[in-house]
Amino acid sequence: MFASFFYTLRKHKVSVSLMEWMTLMEALSKGYAFSSLTNFYYLARAILVKSETHYDQYDVAFKEYFHGIETPEEIANQILDWLQEPIRRLEISPEEIAQLEKMNWEELMKTFEERLREQKERHNGGSRWIGTGGTSPFGHSGRNPAGIRIGGSAWGRSAVQVAAERHFQNYRSDVVLDIRQMQLALKELRQLSRVGPKEELNLRGTIDATCKNAGELEFIWEAQRKNNVKLLLLMDVGGSMDPYAHLCSLLFSAANSATHFKDFKYFYFHNCIYGHLYTDIELREAQSTNQVLKTMDHDYKVILVGDATMSPTELTMVNGAIDYWEMNETPGIVWLKRIADHFKRCTWLNPEPPRNWIHPTVQMIGRLFPMYELTLEGLDQGIKKLVAAS
Amino acid sequence: MDDFDKFQGTNKYIVSEALRNDVNVAIALGRPLLVKGEPGTGKTLLAHNIALGLGKQLIVWNIKSTSKAADGLYVYDTVQRLNDSRFGDKDVSNIRQYIKLGPLGRAFASEEQVVLLIDEVDKADLEFPNDLLNELDEMAFTVIETGDYIAARHRPIVVITSNSEKELPDAFLRRCIFHYIEFPDETMMERIVRVHFPDIESELLQASLKKFYDLRKIEDFRKKPSTSELLDWVQALIVGGIDYTAIEKEIPFISALVKKEQDMDLLVGGRRSKATPNVYRRYY
């Protein structure tokens, strides 16, 4: 019975691990909850919840599970009863663990289906069908490669199937991107060179020099190694990118909070790059692309993020820009070519899965920039490309 | 059960019931206590006061962006040894004299149980917390150069603070007891101020608290004033002999509360914000 509190928590996306659960059991068996529901509330929260951002979910789960239980005496007996229940300390067989994982997955699936059902009722026909929040990993499935939305009732069903498949994959191989993983991936983006005052002792050099000097000490000092990489991030914030907004913001915060870059700059664009780049997501503060190219050195590493999916006219025609006020005299593809030519190292990260890359504009852009999927693996590959010997 | 409920707060440090419980759970289970919260809510002071309240020695390990996990255990001073071998008259064959224990090492080696504060763990490299996992689990390590095995005689009480600048790894989080220090509400704050200034006039206290919480309501502030700044400000008010009626009209010693130039401009310049027009109007 108590074990189901574990699942109630997990259902509400509080990621409790078995290890933390065991710790709670240990604390309970030692009587630290003092037979009071309030103490139990704080005790369980301190042990099980590791981020204040999850406190709310914890509260919801707690309320759902314990509602109706008011008096402390009752809870004391119940906790004692629960301690007799199946999950006992240190007695979990591999089969049981397997079972736990399986149930956990089903639990997650159930939540997802519920959410999907809910959303359909509320937002039917809306442009942000599966929102930008926590469910976004599932979100892309509903859209076909050319960016045309399909309506009708059969839609939801297929999205569930595709999403289920994707989610399962991600769960199994553990490649769900979170900000920490992205930070780790971005850490690979470095080229170390020695700059600054010479204050670090080079031990090997000192030994060599001392030996050559017939045993008279000769110290060799050198400067610390610093990362020399400058990063430029260009992100598509067009309408077709809405389902990936969460993913993109993760990448942005990972890059922005990374302290190891010598310089980090970012701009936004809508669908394709023309004469202007924007410093804000609402595309109000513009800078001329020419100016950006003029003022930035060739050695910036460039990561472009976008689905590269648009009407071919937007890419190849004069005045083809989706925003009429852009009035571009130069086709988008030429601007992209200029960027690819100006910077030595560029990579394009596409949040769409590669099976959708048959679209003509994705093909064309893929010939200009090496293109990778915006997953952990794709990010790794793209970064390898960026730091490859230049 | 007798060793539970050890920590009760100190006469200079007010703890909420939740925090007191969490500290005692961490002590009883021998797990590190991870404390997060807004700057200035007393994360670091907590460790100092646990040490004070329990009458234990405090060892502080301030983490910097260059800190490495191994530095916390010990440092082998090779340069000193090299120097001694050339110029010194010491016997350099004894490597032990060049092994210097770091904060974690000292906490383990101590004869008595100590409180170890690992301050601002998120300042360090991303992998830093993971590198500490084993040592914090086992509470022991081996000095490679000498083969000495250093194990904690008494598990130190470990308090770790974080400002959420970086995400901490899951494996690390799983081993910790976590507490988020909420910003104190007005009643709690009144108690806190009274602990520091027992003789403060009630009118002055009420007026300053009111102003303080009004300031915190301004959403556009880069840095909202925190508890420690309130205490500084109240002290300035008392020392300056400011009458409480003066606070209602303007804010004397505003620089004790508002630290950023932009925030000051916002306040003095009276630029209006859509979010909180009412709050601004009072400061014209």
Side-chain angles (χ1 to χ4, degrees):
Chain A
M1 175 182 181
F2 196 36
S4 65
F5 181 46
F6 181 78
Y7 293 115
T8 313
L9 285 170
R10 295 205 60 128
K11 189 176 88 183
H12 288 278
K13 302 269 155 99
V14 185
S15 50
V16 185
S17 74
L18 216 52
M19 181 174 165
E20 287 156 324
W21 190 251
M22 289 306 128
T23 311
L24 176 64
M25 291 301 129
E26 183 188 337
L28 285 180
S29 66
K30 288 182 180 166
Y32 296 155
F34 298 118
S35 316
S36 129
L37 191 56
T38 317
N39 281 332
F40 175 75
Y41 170 85
Y42 289 125
L43 178 75
R45 194 176 72 175
I47 295 177
L48 301 179
V49 190
K50 296 298 155 67
S51 166
E52 68 277 14
T53 52
H54 286 141
Y55 273 8
D56 186 50
Q57 283 111 302
Y58 173 80
D59 285 348
V60 173
F62 195 88
K63 198 176 155 214
E64 179 183 316
Y65 190 78
F66 287 99
H67 77 122
I69 301 172
E70 301 286 339
T71 55
E73 288 76 22
E74 208 176 329
I75 187 71
N77 290 333
Q78 243 163 332
I79 288 176
L80 283 178
D81 288 346
W82 292 329
L83 282 171
Q84 315 298 324
E85 283 295 310
I87 300 193
R88 272 183 296 266
R89 277 164 40 73
L90 309 171
E91 287 178 29
I92 294 185
S93 66
E95 293 81 21
E96 278 171 322
I97 290 177
Q99 206 179 4
L100 273 175
E101 282 179 357
K102 192 167 144 254
M103 287 176 73
N104 164 37
W105 182 76
E106 280 163 6
E107 201 71 63
L108 283 173
M109 273 310 299
K110 218 170 78 194
T111 319
F112 172 55
E113 278 171 31
E114 272 166 23
R115 177 136 332 152
L116 202 62
R117 222 176 296 131
E118 236 176 34
Q119 274 207 344
K120 191 176 172 189
E121 279 154 17
R122 287 196 208 141
H123 295 290
N124 204 1
S127 63
R128 295 160 62 94
W129 215 79
I130 290 176
T132 55
T135 51
S136 67
F138 319 112
H140 73 279
S141 332
R143 204 181 283 267
N144 88 356
I148 299 164
R149 290 173 194 114
I150 305 169
S153 59
W155 203 86
R157 185 179 300 272
S158 77
V160 171
Q161 283 163 350
V162 179
E165 170 205 326
R166 243 191 93 80
H167 183 58
F168 186 71
Q169 264 178 6
N170 283 351
Y171 184 78
R172 296 293 301 175
S173 55
D174 201 22
V175 291
V176 188
L177 275 173
D178 66 19
I179 181 167
R180 188 183 152 74
Q181 288 170 315
M182 287 207 185
Q183 281 172 333
L184 282 175
L186 284 172
K187 272 195 70 175
E188 294 301 315
L189 192 50
R190 63 180 169 200
Q191 275 172 346
L192 297 169
S193 54
R194 298 193 178 273
V195 285
K198 294 190 171 185
E199 52 189 12
E200 208 170 65
L201 182 71
N202 179 343
L203 209 56
R204 189 173 285 274
T206 301
I207 293 170
D208 278 353
T210 305
C211 288
K212 276 186 192 140
N213 214 10
E216 285 293 318
L217 266 184
E218 177 86 40
F219 288 111
I220 303 290
W221 302 92
E222 61 192 0
Q224 276 187 337
R225 300 207 300 167
K226 291 252 169 67
N227 192 6
N228 235 355
V229 164
K230 296 181 273 187
L231 178 68
L232 170 65
L233 187 63
L234 300 171
M235 297 178 108
D236 182 0
V237 288
S240 57
M241 288 292 286
D242 278 355
Y244 310 113
H246 180 64
L247 195 59
C248 292
S249 74
L250 281 183
L251 178 66
F252 176 79
S253 5
N256 200 23
S257 63
T259 48
H260 66 281
F261 296 126
K262 194 174 173 197
D263 190 24
F264 169 60
K265 286 204 160 52
Y266 59 91
F267 292 101
Y268 300 99
F269 60 92
H270 188 188
N271 273 9
C272 183
I273 296 175
Y274 305 103
H276 296 92
L277 286 164
Y278 301 87
T279 49
D280 61 331
I281 249 173
E282 292 82 22
L283 305 180
R284 286 202 202 101
E285 307 288 325
Q287 269 196 26
S288 107
T289 309
N290 265 329
Q291 186 66 21
V292 170
L293 287 180
K294 252 182 231 158
T295 49
M296 294 181 78
D297 291 338
H298 304 287
D299 56 353
Y300 272 86
K301 313 275 180 197
V302 186
I303 298 181
L304 298 108
V305 184
D307 57 3
T309 306
M310 61 198 95
S311 156
T313 54
E314 283 177 44
L315 190 60
T316 55
M317 302 282 281
V318 169
N319 291 341
I322 188 167
D323 300 305
Y324 69 94
W325 35 263
E326 191 73 59
M327 303 285 272
N328 57 308
E329 287 171 14
T330 314
I333 188 83
V334 177
W335 281 112
L336 290 178
K337 179 96 174 46
R338 284 178 190 168
I339 287 172
D341 289 345
H342 181 80
F343 297 105
K344 281 186 203 147
R345 295 282 160 188
C346 300
T347 193
W348 187 291
L349 296 175
N350 194 333
E352 295 263 354
R355 63 169 180 275
N356 294 348
W357 295 359
I358 44 165
H359 192 276
T361 59
V362 183
Q363 296 279 322
M364 286 166 78
I365 291 173
R367 278 196 284 275
L368 280 180
F369 301 99
M371 192 177 285
Y372 302 95
E373 195 187 357
L374 183 48
T375 59
L376 200 55
E377 208 187 323
L379 186 61
D380 274 341
Q381 287 169 349
I383 280 169
K384 283 213 183 84
K385 193 85 189 167
L386 283 179
V387 292
S390 40
Chain B
M1 283 278 270
D2 355 322
D3 59 346
F4 198 71
D5 244 2
K6 276 180 174 170
F7 178 65
Q8 298 289 349
T10 62
N11 53 5
K12 277 283 178 194
Y13 190 82
I14 303 274
V15 282
S16 66
E17 198 194 333
L19 178 57
R20 191 172 49 95
N21 263 335
D22 290 350
V23 169
N24 286 317
V25 167
I27 296 174
L29 291 177
R31 300 285 176 122
L33 176 69
L34 173 66
V35 191
K36 277 205 225 169
E38 257 186 65
T41 40
K43 298 188 287 292
T44 307
L45 277 180
L46 174 67
H48 287 266
N49 282 281
I50 293 176
L52 195 67
L54 301 181
K56 296 194 186 296
Q57 194 206 336
L58 175 75
I59 295 180
V60 183
W61 185 9
N62 284 311
I63 306 297
K64 304 186 182 91
S65 62
T66 51
S67 295
K68 293 196 176 59
D71 297 346
L73 303 174
Y74 68 92
V75 180
Y76 174 28
D77 196 344
T78 43
V79 178
Q80 184 66 49
R81 183 160 179 250
L82 189 65
N83 191 56
D84 285 356
S85 75
R86 186 68 188 81
F87 305 111
D89 42 9
K90 276 192 205 163
D91 175 19
V92 294
S93 62
N94 181 12
I95 292 180
R96 277 193 187 85
Q97 58 184 328
Y98 299 105
I99 301 281
K100 298 195 173 114
L101 289 181
L104 201 58
R106 273 182 284 141
F108 288 174
S110 167
E111 296 286 334
E112 288 170 12
Q113 188 182 39
V114 297
V115 179
L116 172 67
L117 168 66
I118 305 181
D119 208 9
E120 310 200 22
V121 72
D122 52 331
K123 284 261 190 304
D125 189 79
L126 274 173
E127 284 305 312
F128 177 89
N130 275 339
D131 294 345
L132 280 179
L133 285 184
N134 195 36
E135 281 73 20
L136 284 179
D137 267 357
E138 311 257 322
M139 293 283 177
F141 63 94
T142 307
V143 179
I144 300 166
E145 284 80 2
T146 58
D148 289 354
Y149 181 71
I150 298 186
R153 289 189 198 138
H154 309 275
R155 284 181 88 90
I157 298 167
V158 184
V159 180
I160 303 170
T161 71
S162 162
N163 282 324
S164 313
E165 277 181 21
K166 294 195 188 94
E167 304 247 323
L168 297 169
D170 284 344
F172 177 78
L173 289 176
R174 273 201 292 275
R175 287 165 170 81
C176 297
I177 305 292
F178 173 76
H179 186 89
Y180 180 79
I181 301 189
E182 278 174 277
F183 197 83
D185 59 12
E186 290 205 41
T187 2
M188 184 79 174
M189 191 60 95
E190 202 178 316
R191 281 178 63 201
I192 294 174
V193 178
R194 280 202 183 282
V195 156
H196 289 265
F197 307 105
D199 305 325
I200 188 170
E201 295 166 45
S202 288
E203 287 90 354
L204 182 67
L205 178 60
Q206 294 307 332
S208 52
L209 280 181
K210 187 173 177 307
K211 192 111 289 186
F212 174 73
Y213 278 96
D214 277 352
L215 278 180
R216 279 187 57 86
K217 276 184 206 137
I218 302 179
E219 293 290 334
D220 290 1
F221 264 12
R222 299 280 178 92
K223 186 195 175 309
K224 292 187 178 185
S226 66
T227 312
S228 52
E229 278 144 0
L230 172 70
L231 292 176
D232 288 348
W233 184 52
V234 169
Q235 182 164 29
L237 293 178
I238 295 174
V239 173
I242 304 291
D243 191 65
Y244 72 93
T245 47
I247 304 178
E248 278 166 17
K249 285 186 223 107
E250 49 160 24
I251 312 174
F253 310 119
I254 177 84
S255 50
L257 282 177
V258 182
K259 301 284 172 71
K260 293 242 180 208
E261 208 179 318
Q262 295 96 325
D263 294 348
M264 199 67 101
D265 289 349
L266 199 67
L267 208 59
V268 181
R271 269 193 288 144
R272 283 195 201 188
S273 141
K274 275 175 240 155
T276 49
N278 293 333
V279 180
Y280 284 112
R281 222 160 273 152
R282 286 182 214 148
Y283 300 108
Y284 281 132

